[in-house]
Amino acid sequence: MFSLRHRLTVVLGWKSVERQFHALSMSRATSVTASSALPNGGIEDRLLVRQLEPNLIRPGVLASGLFWERHRKGGYQTEQRVSTKELIVNGLKELRTEFALFQQEWKEKLESDPLVVFRPGEIDVVFGFESQTDLDQWVVTTDRDHGQGFSEAALERSPSGYGLFHGTLESRVPKDGRIKRAGYANIKSLRVRKSFKREAFYDWSQYNTLVLKVRGDGRSYLINLTAEGYYDILWNDIYHYVLYTRGGPHWQVAKIPFSKFFLASKGRVQDQQGPVPLNRITNVGFSVGSRGGHEGSFRLEFDFIGVEFDPSHQEEFAYEMYRQPKYIVAT
């Protein structure tokens, strides 16, 4: 009976918790005297009241982890309250930018020719790092930003005029008894969009290889291709692959087929894998961590990030999936 009531409480929400809590208090009030006279009387009642207490149950938190995702950023979002007047002023300021994007959209649509968009063996640059405007299209995050560590990172222009992702990783955790591991830094491109705040996607379905010209420090970095889906269960779908860098002053050109990327969600590699949906790429990112004793400074310099169609690469998906009989699964 308790388990059923507890489940209904989580599904029905906060108001049902309060109704059941008050109903329980009224119904049990008449039997407090009799139950307290028993050796274990009142213990069961107190446990039941404690489980139904609103401050302890928090149906929204339980529901966000069990049934649906409340926020796209998994609880790391920052809410800023802005007055209506400021919203109107900011909206008027952005009109010029939005109309410029709208003009550029139609110009590309009228001038583009699908037959000459890409050529085999030719690299199409998606992200450049030549100006500060290009660097503003990226967001840098570390564990320090969320109060979960002490790492630092930044994306700046290097003395030679390229994009430099650098910082310091620390695996030391805050002494709050809540964080168990720390030490990471990440950069992520802003969500691609059309004019007037319309969401869009990178359509790379005509390409099969990701090309990067970088200059690293010998560390291994994780490449993240976000393919955010429509439903909340697909918000955190990210395809990963490792970028191995070599130290030294020389540049390296890394060509990674999209067939090598594997699917993960919230840092967990998924059992059910599949090819990257190249027509629904929303963000590109790079992560570095301090696990395995790799603390200290890091440095990754970017020249460009592009895509290429390699006719010699015929592989569609690198990982073989096995279909098990239904009676074997979960046994």
Side-chain angles (χ1 to χ4, degrees):
M1 181 63 184
F2 170 71
S3 60
L4 178 59
R5 177 179 295 180
H6 180 72
R7 293 173 184 173
L8 289 176
T9 300
V10 174
V11 175
L12 294 178
W14 185 279
K15 295 184 179 179
S16 65
V17 175
E18 295 180 345
R19 286 199 298 269
Q20 292 188 23
F21 178 75
H22 293 305
L24 179 66
S25 302
M26 297 177 60
S27 63
R28 298 289 182 178
T30 57
S31 60
V32 169
T33 305
S35 61
S36 60
L38 299 176
N40 294 327
I43 296 179
E44 182 181 353
D45 295 341
R46 287 196 298 270
L47 290 176
L48 193 57
V49 170
R50 181 182 241 177
Q51 292 293 337
L52 291 175
E53 212 168 28
N55 292 333
L56 296 178
I57 282 186
R58 299 181 185 180
V61 176
L62 292 176
S64 65
L66 294 177
F67 303 104
W68 57 286
E69 294 287 344
R70 179 181 294 271
H71 301 287
R72 289 182 179 269
K73 295 186 178 181
Y76 288 96
Q77 67 286 341
T78 55
E79 297 181 359
Q80 298 180 355
R81 296 184 177 180
V82 183
S83 63
T84 305
K85 181 179 179 180
E86 292 181 357
L87 289 175
I88 295 175
V89 173
N90 295 335
L92 293 175
K93 290 180 179 179
E94 292 184 0
L95 276 178
R96 179 179 298 179
T97 304
E98 299 303 326
F99 277 114
L101 287 176
F102 184 74
Q103 182 180 1
Q104 183 179 356
E105 288 176 20
W106 277 99
K107 184 178 180 180
E108 293 179 354
K109 185 177 295 185
L110 296 175
E111 294 181 354
S112 63
D113 187 353
L115 297 179
V116 297
V117 167
F118 74 101
R119 297 182 180 89
E122 193 173 87
I123 301 174
D124 290 337
V125 177
V126 181
F127 298 100
F129 299 87
E130 299 177 353
S131 63
Q132 186 61 38
T133 305
D134 297 331
L135 301 183
D136 292 340
Q137 302 301 315
W138 297 82
V139 177
V140 182
T141 56
T142 63
D143 48 16
R144 178 188 288 268
D145 298 334
H146 309 294
Q148 298 179 351
F150 302 93
S151 302
E152 297 180 351
L155 179 62
E156 303 171 339
R157 293 200 66 190
S158 65
S160 53
Y162 301 99
L164 178 60
F165 176 43
H166 67 102
T168 305
L169 297 176
E170 291 191 30
S171 58
R172 179 166 53 100
V173 299
K175 297 180 179 180
D176 57 1
R178 181 174 57 93
I179 306 301
K180 298 180 180 179
R181 290 185 297 270
Y184 72 88
N186 177 78
I187 57 172
K188 183 179 181 181
S189 64
L190 296 178
R191 173 68 187 267
V192 59
R193 66 177 184 87
K194 300 179 181 178
S195 58
F196 302 104
K197 307 299 182 181
R198 293 176 298 160
E199 295 182 346
F201 303 91
Y202 290 110
D203 188 0
W204 297 343
S205 56
Q206 298 173 333
Y207 307 92
N208 59 6
T209 306
L210 181 69
V211 184
L212 308 98
K213 186 176 180 181
V214 297
R215 181 160 53 185
D217 53 359
R219 286 179 177 266
S220 298
Y221 296 81
L222 194 63
I223 307 174
N224 311 314
L225 299 181
T226 305
E228 186 178 304
Y230 177 79
Y231 298 101
D232 56 355
I233 197 175
L234 305 176
W235 285 350
N236 299 289
D237 283 2
I238 302 179
Y239 291 82
H240 303 282
Y241 197 75
V242 182
L243 172 63
Y244 300 99
T245 65
R246 58 173 181 261
H250 302 291
W251 291 91
Q252 67 178 94
V253 177
K255 295 186 177 183
I256 304 173
F258 290 119
S259 61
K260 303 294 184 182
F261 284 80
F262 55 89
L263 174 64
S265 180
K266 295 183 178 180
R268 297 181 180 271
V269 180
Q270 302 299 295
D271 294 332
Q272 189 68 28
Q273 295 287 331
V276 181
L278 296 175
N279 61 334
R280 295 187 62 85
I281 301 298
T282 57
N283 308 87
V284 178
F286 297 86
S287 302
V288 59
S290 63
R291 294 191 64 178
H294 296 90
E295 295 183 331
S297 61
F298 66 91
R299 178 188 177 94
L300 181 62
E301 198 169 0
F302 293 93
D303 186 358
F304 66 83
I305 301 173
V307 290
E308 177 190 0
F309 174 71
D310 185 2
S312 63
H313 183 77
Q314 302 296 330
E315 184 181 57
E316 295 183 1
F317 189 59
Y319 310 104
E320 184 175 1
M321 300 300 297
Y322 298 92
R323 187 177 299 275
Q324 296 286 354
K326 293 184 179 180
Y327 66 89
I328 293 180
V329 178
T331 58

